[in-house]
Amino acid sequence: RQAAFHVFSRLQPDPAAIAATPTREGAKVPTLNARAEAALLLFEDLCALAGGKAARWLGLDGAFAKFWRVKIFALDAAAEVAVNSADLFVDVPAFHRALRQRLCAALVTHLQSWQRSDVEEVSAPEGRAVLRCVGAVIGTFHEAVPAETEMFLTTLLASLELEMEPWRRSYTLEVIKATVVDGNLARFLHTAYDARDGDSHKMIFRDSVLMMVRVTRAGLSPQPESGVEDILAAVTVLHRIKGKAQDVVPEDEDGAAHIAFSVFLALEGVMGAAHSIASLATAAAEGDAKAGIEPDSVAARDATEMIGSCSEMLLETLETVLTHATGEVLVRDVLRALQAIAQGCGVLGATDARDAFISAICHFAVASEVVVPTVINIQDADDDAEDTATRPSPLLRNISADSYEGGREPASASIVGSVVGMGLGAVGAVGSVVASPVRALVGPSSVSIEPEVNPALRVVLTSKNLQAFRTLLNVAHRLIDSLGDGWVMVLETLCSLRRMLATKTSAVGADMDATVAVLHVAEQQLFESTAKLDDDALCALTKALAWASSAELGRLGGGGGKAPVNGSKERLFMLERLVDVALINSGRIHKVWSDVEAHLLSCIEKEPSAELCRIATASLARLCVSALELPRAPEADSLASEGEADFQTVVLRPVSTLMARADSPDARLAALDVLISVVNGGDGIGRAWSSVLRALRGVAERGGEGVALAFSGVKFIVEDRIEDLPDDVSGEVIAAVSAFVAQHAQVNISITAVSLAWTLSDYFSRKVTETKVGKEALAERGMIPLLFVMRDASMDPRPEVRNGACRTITSTLVSNGDKVPARIWRRAVFDICFGLVDDIRAATAGASQEEQVAPDIGELDGRKIQMLVHHSRNSARKQWDETETLALSGVGRLLRAHFDAVAKFDGFDKRFEWYLQWITQSVAEGSPEVSCSAVKSLQTVLEAGGSTGMTRARWKKATKVLMTSAKGMNAAGSKISGKTRYEFIDVVGKVWASKRAIFDKEDVQSLIGVIDMLARAPDEWLEKSAPPARAGRYSTLRVQRRCLELLSDLPPLDPAAVDSGAYPQAICQLLAYVAEALGGEVAEAVAKADFAYPGTETQHGSMSLGFAQEACEALAKIYQSEHVPKDDRAMTFAAATRVISAAMTLTEEETAVAEASKELRGAAAKTFRAVVTGGLAAVTRSSAFEFRAASVADAWDALSTAFESTLAGKTRDPNLERDMIECMAEAVSPHCGLADEHSRRRLIAAVAAESSVSRIWALSALHFGGGQMGRIALQSLVPTCEGILRACDEPEKVACVLDVASSLARDPSRRAESEPAPQSSSLLGWIKKTVAGEERNDLNHLRAILGALGPSESSSDDVIRMKAEKVRRELTDAVEIRKE
């Protein structure tokens, strides 16, 4: 062998140089050189030895050649040198002839001899050598020896139909397998034999593949005679061993192993044929750009024909094997074969075959339902694990023996003896080939690849499923440009797998989680790569996604499938992918938008399941939001139809359509939710805002569910996006807000919508302010429609809405009115606002006063429960009263804020009179709520006094309303409530406090008159038969108290008002209130004086003691004010003194008024002190009295009478006496020098009316005050003191007398030296004699005197005598001093 190799290797460098001599004319072969001739002779001898003949050149006889080892040596050596020197045997005729006539002939002889029964059975080694040599010749020289190649293959294929040893079948199959796995050889066999014209040609390639298929299929059926229990399991083991690069050829004697090995080789041949055809197809269709090879149309045609002849049998076989295969390596190799041929079919455009292979892959990617205990963890990676498919593929096709062999009947189904019967016995024929797999899948008879989940079953995802899914993704990636209708199968499978992984009833091995993650990434990349598709491929994918999505939705919802459980996490995977693809291709989204839009509408519009609607609309929301944000081509606007602005409107068109036309309320709500998501995103809506607002407005106009959600969108637009909206959509915004104000589904929404109108008014007023050109047009377009919306809302039948609108319209005018042009401003105030007031007044007047029945809100224990309605709102009239109240306050605020501006409008005076008439009528005839609001409204207008617009004439008209209203309240029978009266007088007081400077003397007189009218009629007039509240009612005192506060706050007044007698008038009114409360002679005297304001009426029982008490306090404030002239105080002093003195001496025995009487006396005493303090000095110094002497005398007479009544009267009040004595000492005594003698003696006599300690001290103080009063006081003091010492029965008085005597002895400065003091001397002498014991010498008497002077530290006589001696010394010293 080495020598042969050496000989032929020397010819290798230049095989063409073998012909050293020229060819002679007529010679059949060229003359060879010596080396070539030796090599040829050597090769011929090797071929002779291989045939069992003598080798002449080598010198070996025929007997030597009979040894089988020699034949094996010769066959292997000949094959080796031929293969290694292939060019020599092809190019050199002599060698080529030797190849055919010597080697091939020997091989044919061997093969034919095996089929003869009279020939001894060949040994296994020799048979292997022959078959090896045959395989080498076919593989290397099939083009050089085509006839021999045909003969070899025909013989081999025919031999397989006969019974033979297992080893021989294995090696025969190995040779045939090599012919189908080599792509070039396979193409040669097809073109040289199968594709020849005529009916007599042989289908060498197809028959070779068919033989692989038949052996494989036979191996899948039970073969009890083979000695192999499970041939497929053995094949699986062989695959695993081969994958580890180990030898898998069994021993020749192991027949059972060779049977399994035969099936293994056949399966390898089937998969190899698939790969070879795929490689040919790919190279023919695409070429090799790197190698510079262009696509070959002829090769593509050949590959297409090869696919047409073999695809069905390959598909059926691979599918059957994969169904039963369990080993991971085997499953992987089979799936790779399916992937390769599917891709090959795809690149050639063989769509039916492509879709058939894709369908098979899809089938195995879908999991099966098997009963699995839930506690078991499925491990599918184990090679021994079983995976039995229980559901056939929807495109599973069974290729019959007729299809393979032209109708020949199989002779047997045994693999032990022969393979003649290797047909489809393992599976059986179930039908013919489907013309179009895609049509079979998408047609009406399509079978869902997603099974219903039986509660007793769990969906198990095995390793095979995941590998098939990976294969499917690889195919999809490879054929992404040309899948076309094939996308449907791919997408259906993706959907099923995603749903299985998402459901709780699926299970995967714990070690496959990483694989699942990788597959998810691959799936994601698949759809991301769609950006590279051309437009047609993208549209095809989009249509397929839409179909798959519809199928998925049909299985889950309204399509007859099971609807998802409420709250489940269902997903519409295909719809999500459809949206993904559309967004990935955003630059040309207009190419697929029509399909996407139509599908979304079909998914949601008729879908009855709320959960599915929610899921589908979530995808719609993502699409719309993202599509509006992503950049797009200008051609996208071409999708906009008539009436639509641009692509943004087109994007939102399905949402608007669903909101208007969807059958299910849930669908409409879901679509609305999508629109709200778009609005919240906001970016990219552009010119589509009009359609958005119209859609939201439509929800309000239709009512029902969704109003709240739609309103949230409008609210967001107004509050957060209004600045971003185009100017031409302002009308749509206002219309949307108006629609939500008018809707009746939820009253709170209407109320909030009114506030949005206010927000819009702020926005438009700001824009008007910022705009330099076109202000009036902008205001006309924005503010006026808004104000009309508010006006319409202010007449809404729902009280809550109209009240809120009424507040809003006035607040809007107050805050923004002056920012608009004057013409718009005047129209807003006069036409809109004042026109609204007329409408409200008319509605109020015509409203029913009948009490409304409270609505039912539920039941409890069979009884209806009614809503509680407050009595102030239980009729339509009362509810409209509230609205009119708001209108009054609003107009008042408007006029107060912009009085000067509004006063400039033409026709204002007429409108102002209309307003004052409205106020007057409301106060007089309105409900308490309305009248109070009218009063407050008038206040706001009056507070504009002093401004440019509030002229004196207008001020007079406004203040005249006060007097008119007060007269109405004071009129007998007036039913104006006490609450209104209080608000009225309170407003008067506030206006007086803030605008005091504007009041002239007539205004002040009117003010005092208004106060008097309200003080005398503080409450609604009652029947005279009603008993008066002597102590006073709270409601009455509340109004009267405010009146008194006003009177006391009158100071200071301007000189004109002072000269008009305002202060005396106020003081006299206060005295009248006290006198009328006291009654009797004082009241009669005051009535004669006519202190009340002219024309006033006094309510029965209004003049109470409580009111008198507070009137006294008010009087004190006035007398104490430095702003009240002294002449005014002197003028009213006598009357004030008499009235207050009467109040101080009031006594009531009734328990109900006793306390009020006591409080009145205390207040009167304080007032008396204030009156005397502030008034007596004025009396003594005033020169304004017309008859001064008489007036002064009258004042002192009134004062003396007051002291006599309080200090010398029948009833004694210690507190009052103390206050009066202090008053006399501090306030009266300093002015007594101006009093007449009679008055002074009356005052001293009143003090000396009793000998109490306080009066002794009072007399002492008056004495030490000096003057005539001091002299008169001493005349009363000495007798009183002597009487107390003689009686000596009250130690306190004795002590007081001793103290007074001591003071008299020590302080003679107040008496002139020549003035005799008999009273003082006699008093001191008597005290001295008494202390010395001359007058009365008993210790008890001394103890009493000294005990009064201070507490004794001891009761012993010695201590008493010591103290008495001390007093005697002090008195003696005092007497001596006086003598000197």
Side-chain angles (χ1 to χ4, degrees):
R1 177 178 288 181
Q2 291 179 357
F5 176 78
H6 177 70
V7 169
F8 277 90
S9 65
R10 298 185 68 181
L11 302 177
Q12 289 297 99
D14 190 6
I18 293 176
T21 59
T23 303
R24 294 185 299 270
E25 184 177 356
K28 294 183 179 180
V29 294
T31 302
L32 301 177
N33 60 22
R35 290 181 181 178
E37 187 174 356
L40 179 60
L41 292 174
L42 175 59
F43 178 74
E44 290 176 348
D45 282 355
L46 290 175
C47 292
L49 290 174
K53 300 177 181 180
R56 298 174 184 177
W57 187 73
L58 291 175
L60 300 175
D61 56 15
F64 179 77
K66 296 299 181 182
F67 292 106
W68 62 272
R69 293 184 182 274
V70 174
K71 293 180 180 180
I72 294 174
F73 161 75
L75 287 168
D76 288 340
E80 183 177 5
V81 297
V83 171
N84 290 334
S85 304
D87 293 340
L88 178 68
F89 285 91
V90 172
D91 296 334
V92 179
F95 283 91
H96 182 263
R97 184 168 54 253
L99 175 67
R100 296 183 63 187
Q101 296 175 359
R102 297 301 180 93
L103 181 59
C104 290
L107 293 175
V108 169
T109 301
H110 278 291
L111 294 178
Q112 291 177 347
S113 67
W114 292 352
Q115 299 182 16
R116 294 165 52 187
S117 59
D118 58 340
V119 178
E120 183 181 357
E121 184 70 29
V122 68
S123 65
E126 183 181 350
R128 287 202 308 270
V130 171
L131 293 173
R132 281 199 301 271
C133 189
V134 170
V137 172
I138 294 174
T140 307
F141 301 105
H142 54 272
E143 294 182 356
V145 289
E148 288 78 4
T149 300
E150 180 182 359
M151 185 178 295
F152 288 148
L153 292 175
T154 303
T155 303
L156 291 176
L157 290 172
S159 68
L160 289 174
E161 300 288 346
L162 303 176
E163 293 185 2
M164 63 179 67
E165 292 296 327
W167 64 265
R168 182 179 159 194
R169 183 188 301 109
S170 297
Y171 297 131
T172 302
L173 288 171
E174 188 170 14
V175 174
I176 297 176
K177 184 199 82 169
T179 63
V180 298
V181 299
D182 185 340
N184 294 326
L185 177 55
R187 182 187 177 193
F188 169 79
L189 295 177
H190 172 76
T191 55
Y193 308 111
D194 296 31
R196 286 186 299 183
D197 297 333
D199 298 333
S200 60
H201 70 278
K202 296 181 180 180
M203 308 290 291
I204 300 297
F205 174 72
R206 183 180 183 279
D207 288 345
S208 299
V209 176
L210 175 61
M211 186 54 66
M212 297 294 103
V213 168
R214 293 176 64 193
V215 173
T216 303
R217 296 295 301 273
L220 296 179
S221 61
Q223 301 290 339
E225 300 87 352
S226 66
V228 183
E229 293 183 0
D230 190 346
I231 295 177
L232 185 59
V235 172
T236 302
V237 173
L238 291 174
H239 256 86
R240 185 170 64 246
I241 295 174
K242 180 184 177 183
K244 298 178 181 178
Q246 299 178 7
D247 187 15
V248 297
V249 180
E251 297 294 333
D252 296 337
E253 296 79 11
D254 192 350
H258 271 285
I259 292 174
F261 186 58
S262 298
V263 178
F264 167 75
L265 291 173
L267 180 57
E268 288 280 305
V270 172
M271 293 187 294
H275 283 286
S276 64
I277 294 174
S279 62
L280 285 172
T282 303
E286 298 178 351
D288 190 346
K290 294 183 179 179
I293 301 175
E294 298 292 332
D296 188 347
S297 60
V298 177
R301 181 199 63 197
D302 295 340
T304 303
E305 292 175 354
M306 294 169 72
I307 290 173
S309 64
C310 302
S311 61
E312 295 180 354
M313 64 178 80
L314 291 175
L315 170 62
E316 181 64 22
T317 304
L318 292 173
E319 201 171 26
T320 305
V321 171
L322 192 57
T323 300
H324 298 87
T326 58
E328 185 174 353
V329 177
L330 178 58
V331 170
R332 179 196 63 200
D333 292 343
V334 174
L335 286 171
R336 285 178 177 175
L338 286 170
Q339 173 184 338
I341 194 168
Q343 292 174 353
C345 295
V347 297
L348 288 175
T351 57
D352 287 353
R354 177 203 66 190
D355 294 342
F357 285 104
I358 292 177
S359 174
I361 299 172
C362 292
H363 165 64
F364 291 104
V366 179
S368 305
E369 292 178 354
V370 296
V371 179
V372 179
T374 57
V375 296
I376 294 179
N377 187 16
I378 307 302
Q379 299 290 340
D380 296 304
D382 190 353
D383 291 332
D384 297 330
E386 294 186 358
D387 180 28
T388 303
T390 61
R391 182 187 53 178
S393 168
L395 293 180
L396 181 62
R397 62 204 68 244
N398 293 306
I399 305 175
S400 64
D402 294 341
S403 301
Y404 294 163
E405 304 177 75
R408 290 176 294 172
E409 294 295 332
S412 173
S414 173
I415 197 173
V416 177
S418 68
V419 293
V420 175
M422 288 184 179
L424 296 179
V427 177
V430 295
S432 60
V433 180
V434 179
S436 174
V438 175
R439 286 194 293 273
L441 181 64
V442 303
S445 60
S446 175
V447 180
S448 172
I449 63 175
E450 187 173 338
E452 288 192 14
V453 178
N454 189 322
L457 302 178
R458 297 189 70 205
V459 178
V460 180
L461 286 175
T462 65
S463 175
K464 183 190 298 185
N465 299 133
L466 297 181
Q467 289 188 68
F469 186 66
R470 176 184 291 175
T471 302
L472 180 64
L473 289 176
N474 292 338
V475 172
H477 273 285
R478 181 66 178 81
L479 302 178
I480 189 170
D481 289 322
S482 59
L483 265 180
D485 292 341
W487 274 114
V488 173
M489 293 177 291
V490 176
L491 296 175
E492 281 277 279
T493 307
L494 293 178
C495 177
S496 297
L497 185 64
R498 289 292 299 270
R499 191 163 297 283
M500 291 172 190
L501 293 174
T503 181
K504 295 180 180 179
T505 59
S506 64
V508 296
D511 57 346
M512 290 190 287
D513 290 341
T515 303
V516 172
V518 171
L519 293 179
H520 280 316
V521 173
E523 178 197 356
Q524 183 68 28
Q525 292 174 346
L526 173 64
F527 290 102
E528 289 176 354
S529 62
T530 59
K532 301 178 181 179
L533 295 178
D534 57 34
D535 293 345
D536 293 337
L538 178 62
C539 292
L541 172 58
T542 303
K543 293 180 184 297
L545 281 168
W547 189 96
S549 175
S550 298
E552 181 183 22
L553 186 65
R555 285 188 294 273
L556 290 175
K562 180 175 60 178
V565 179
N566 187 24
S568 65
K569 297 181 180 180
E570 289 288 351
R571 295 177 62 185
L572 296 178
F573 297 104
M574 290 299 99
L575 185 59
E576 292 177 5
R577 286 308 183 193
L578 178 62
V579 173
D580 290 340
V581 169
L583 296 178
I584 289 170
N585 295 274
S586 60
R588 49 178 176 165
I589 195 172
H590 57 283
K591 300 287 186 180
V592 299
W593 183 262
S594 299
D595 293 332
V596 175
E597 179 183 9
H599 173 65
L600 287 169
L601 290 176
S602 65
C603 286
I604 306 172
E605 191 170 0
K606 304 295 183 181
E607 176 57 49
S609 170
E611 181 69 9
L612 290 180
C613 285
R614 181 190 62 79
I615 299 170
T617 50
S619 296
L620 177 60
R622 185 163 64 94
L623 174 65
C624 293
V625 173
S626 301
L628 292 172
E629 294 175 353
L630 293 174
R632 57 191 171 275
E635 295 85 358
D637 290 341
S638 62
L639 289 175
S641 58
E642 185 177 355
E644 295 176 336
D646 51 12
F647 182 70
Q648 294 98 329
T649 308
V650 175
V651 170
L652 297 177
R653 184 172 57 199
V655 180
S656 303
T657 302
L658 289 173
M659 290 171 59
R661 297 194 336 224
D663 292 345
S664 170
D666 296 318
R668 294 194 294 271
L669 281 176
L672 175 59
D673 194 37
V674 172
L675 188 61
I676 296 304
S677 300
V678 172
V679 170
N680 291 337
D683 298 330
I685 295 180
R687 298 172 63 187
W689 279 112
S690 295
S691 63
V692 170
L693 291 164
R694 281 195 297 269
L696 294 174
R697 185 184 70 196
V699 176
E701 292 172 349
R702 289 188 296 271
E705 297 183 8
V707 173
L709 184 59
F711 178 67
S712 68
V714 173
K715 187 171 183 288
F716 177 79
I717 292 172
V718 173
E719 293 180 347
D720 298 320
R721 306 292 300 182
I722 189 66
E723 298 287 350
D724 303 330
L725 299 186
D727 293 337
D728 57 354
V729 302
S730 59
E732 293 292 346
V733 177
I734 296 172
V737 172
S738 176
F740 281 98
V741 171
Q743 59 82 33
H744 286 259
Q746 295 188 30
V747 66
N748 288 337
I749 291 178
S750 297
I751 295 173
T752 310
V754 170
S755 67
L756 290 184
W758 190 358
T759 303
L760 284 175
S761 71
D762 293 339
Y763 166 72
F764 284 118
S765 63
R766 186 175 67 255
K767 288 200 69 174
V768 169
T769 303
E770 297 171 354
T771 301
K772 296 182 179 179
V773 179
K775 288 179 178 288
E776 189 165 316
L778 180 59
E780 185 80 29
R781 188 174 65 250
M783 289 297 294
I784 293 301
L786 268 177
L787 292 174
F788 274 110
V789 169
M790 297 178 194
R791 174 174 175 170
D792 293 341
S794 299
M795 295 300 295
D796 193 281
R798 296 166 295 177
E800 302 90 344
V801 177
R802 68 169 178 263
N803 291 342
C806 193
R807 292 188 188 94
T808 302
I809 190 172
T810 53
S811 298
T812 299
L813 293 173
V814 169
S815 59
N816 300 318
D818 58 342
K819 299 176 184 178
V820 299
R823 186 182 68 84
I824 304 298
W825 181 213
R826 182 184 184 282
R827 182 182 176 189
V829 176
F830 286 0
D831 298 343
I832 298 178
C833 182
F834 290 173
L836 173 62
V837 170
D838 288 334
D839 294 341
I840 292 175
R841 293 179 66 186
T844 304
S848 173
Q849 298 187 14
E850 181 179 357
E851 294 187 2
Q852 299 175 351
V853 178
D856 296 335
I857 59 175
E859 292 186 1
L860 179 63
D861 298 333
R863 295 179 301 174
K864 293 183 178 180
I865 301 176
Q866 292 182 327
M867 180 186 294
L868 293 177
V869 180
H870 195 266
H871 66 85
S872 63
R873 298 291 182 270
N874 60 358
S875 69
R877 177 59 181 269
K878 293 178 181 179
Q879 294 170 357
W880 276 103
D881 281 344
E882 182 181 9
T883 305
E884 186 174 359
T885 295
L886 296 172
L888 283 163
S889 61
V891 172
R893 287 192 302 116
L894 172 63
L895 293 177
R896 174 66 181 89
H898 304 287
F899 195 90
D900 291 344
V902 175
K904 297 178 181 178
F905 296 156
D906 294 338
F908 172 75
D909 287 328
K910 183 178 179 181
R911 290 289 184 174
F912 188 60
E913 291 178 0
W914 164 86
Y915 167 74
L916 295 178
Q917 182 184 3
W918 177 30
I919 295 295
T920 304
Q921 184 178 355
S922 298
V923 173
E925 302 175 4
S927 65
E929 191 174 15
V930 172
S931 57
C932 289
S933 181
V935 170
K936 292 180 180 179
S937 179
L938 180 61
Q939 173 192 352
T940 58
V941 174
L942 288 173
E943 288 179 348
S947 62
T948 304
M950 182 60 77
T951 62
R952 174 57 61 176
R954 291 168 182 165
W955 170 262
K956 288 296 184 180
K957 291 179 180 179
T959 54
K960 184 179 179 181
V961 174
L962 295 177
M963 179 58 71
T964 303
S965 299
K967 289 180 177 179
M969 296 177 188
N970 187 259
S974 173
K975 297 298 182 180
I976 299 176
S977 66
K979 177 182 178 182
T980 303
R981 296 167 189 260
Y982 176 78
E983 291 293 341
F984 180 82
I985 195 62
D986 186 60
V987 163
V988 171
K990 291 177 179 178
V991 172
W992 166 251
S994 61
K995 300 298 177 181
R996 180 190 299 263
I998 303 175
F999 280 70
D1000 56 18
K1001 62 180 182 180
E1002 290 82 6
D1003 295 334
V1004 173
Q1005 292 293 334
S1006 298
L1007 172 65
I1008 296 174
V1010 167
I1011 295 172
D1012 191 41
M1013 292 177 189
L1014 268 294
R1016 294 181 176 278
D1019 206 346
E1020 181 180 351
W1021 283 72
L1022 303 175
E1023 299 294 335
K1024 290 187 176 182
S1025 58
R1030 184 81 169 116
R1033 294 191 303 272
Y1034 172 77
S1035 60
T1036 302
L1037 292 177
R1038 187 165 173 257
V1039 175
Q1040 292 175 330
R1041 184 178 297 116
R1042 192 68 181 98
C1043 293
L1044 296 176
E1045 290 175 359
L1046 276 175
L1047 287 175
S1048 60
D1049 289 341
L1050 279 178
L1053 296 175
D1054 62 1
V1058 172
D1059 294 341
S1060 66
Y1063 287 128
Q1065 180 182 351
I1067 293 173
C1068 290
Q1069 286 185 186
L1070 291 173
L1071 294 176
Y1073 302 152
V1074 177
E1076 292 179 26
L1078 296 175
E1081 297 178 357
V1082 177
E1084 294 177 359
V1086 169
K1088 292 179 180 179
D1090 195 13
F1091 287 168
Y1093 192 82
T1096 59
E1097 298 283 342
T1098 303
Q1099 281 183 353
H1100 181 60
S1102 61
M1103 300 291 107
S1104 63
L1105 297 181
F1107 180 38
Q1109 173 189 340
E1110 298 197 13
C1112 291
E1113 296 171 356
L1115 181 64
K1117 291 180 181 180
I1118 291 180
Y1119 262 91
Q1120 291 174 344
S1121 174
E1122 61 182 7
H1123 300 289
V1124 179
K1126 59 183 179 179
D1127 291 342
D1128 292 347
R1129 284 180 284 173
M1131 187 184 302
T1132 58
F1133 178 77
T1137 303
R1138 289 189 175 91
V1139 172
I1140 298 304
S1141 66
M1144 290 189 295
T1145 58
L1146 175 67
T1147 57
E1148 293 285 350
E1149 297 180 358
E1150 295 182 15
T1151 306
V1153 296
E1155 186 65 26
S1157 176
K1158 180 179 179 182
E1159 293 178 358
L1160 174 59
R1161 290 196 299 271
K1166 295 178 181 178
T1167 303
F1168 182 80
R1169 176 75 172 267
V1171 169
V1172 171
T1173 302
L1176 188 57
V1179 168
T1180 57
R1181 298 171 186 170
S1182 175
S1183 59
F1185 288 121
E1186 187 175 353
F1187 304 99
R1188 186 177 182 283
S1191 298
V1192 170
D1194 184 51
W1196 279 105
D1197 178 69
L1199 186 63
S1200 301
T1201 303
F1203 277 97
E1204 289 174 345
S1205 62
T1206 54
L1207 296 179
K1210 297 180 180 179
T1211 59
R1212 303 295 175 85
D1213 185 345
N1215 295 329
L1216 179 60
E1217 291 181 2
R1218 183 184 64 250
D1219 293 341
M1220 294 298 290
I1221 290 173
E1222 291 178 359
C1223 177
M1224 180 179 291
E1226 297 175 4
V1228 176
S1229 179
H1231 303 286
C1232 283
L1234 300 176
D1236 58 282
E1237 182 69 15
H1238 179 67
S1239 297
R1240 288 195 292 268
R1241 291 189 176 278
R1242 288 177 63 187
L1243 291 173
I1244 296 299
V1247 175
E1250 66 174 33
S1251 59
S1252 63
V1253 173
S1254 60
R1255 303 217 178 180
I1256 294 173
W1257 282 116
L1259 291 172
S1260 173
L1262 291 173
H1263 164 66
F1264 287 116
Q1268 294 298 324
M1269 287 294 289
R1271 176 180 57 79
I1272 298 172
L1274 183 61
Q1275 293 174 358
S1276 298
L1277 176 62
V1278 172
T1280 300
C1281 291
E1282 290 179 348
I1284 290 172
L1285 287 177
R1286 285 190 176 90
C1288 200
D1289 54 356
E1290 297 181 63
E1292 183 180 3
K1293 292 183 179 181
V1294 171
C1296 178
V1297 168
L1298 292 175
D1299 193 17
V1300 168
S1302 177
S1303 300
L1304 290 173
R1306 296 178 182 178
D1307 189 13
S1309 60
R1310 290 184 179 276
R1311 188 180 67 254
E1313 295 182 0
S1314 59
E1315 181 181 357
Q1319 292 87 353
S1320 299
S1321 301
S1322 61
L1323 175 61
L1324 293 175
W1326 188 89
I1327 291 174
K1328 180 178 179 183
K1329 293 178 180 180
T1330 302
V1331 173
E1334 297 178 1
E1335 185 69 24
R1336 188 172 180 180
N1337 191 10
D1338 61 90
L1339 294 178
N1340 290 333
H1341 187 57
L1342 289 173
R1343 187 179 295 112
I1345 295 173
L1346 296 177
L1349 296 175
S1352 300
E1353 298 179 0
S1354 173
S1355 58
S1356 63
D1357 294 342
D1358 295 336
V1359 174
I1360 294 174
R1361 289 188 178 277
M1362 290 174 60
K1363 288 187 176 183
E1365 189 64 27
K1366 180 179 179 181
V1367 172
R1368 185 183 62 79
R1369 285 197 302 270
E1370 291 178 355
L1371 292 175
T1372 302
D1373 294 341
V1375 170
E1376 293 298 330
I1377 292 172
R1378 291 190 64 185
K1379 287 181 178 180
E1380 295 176 358

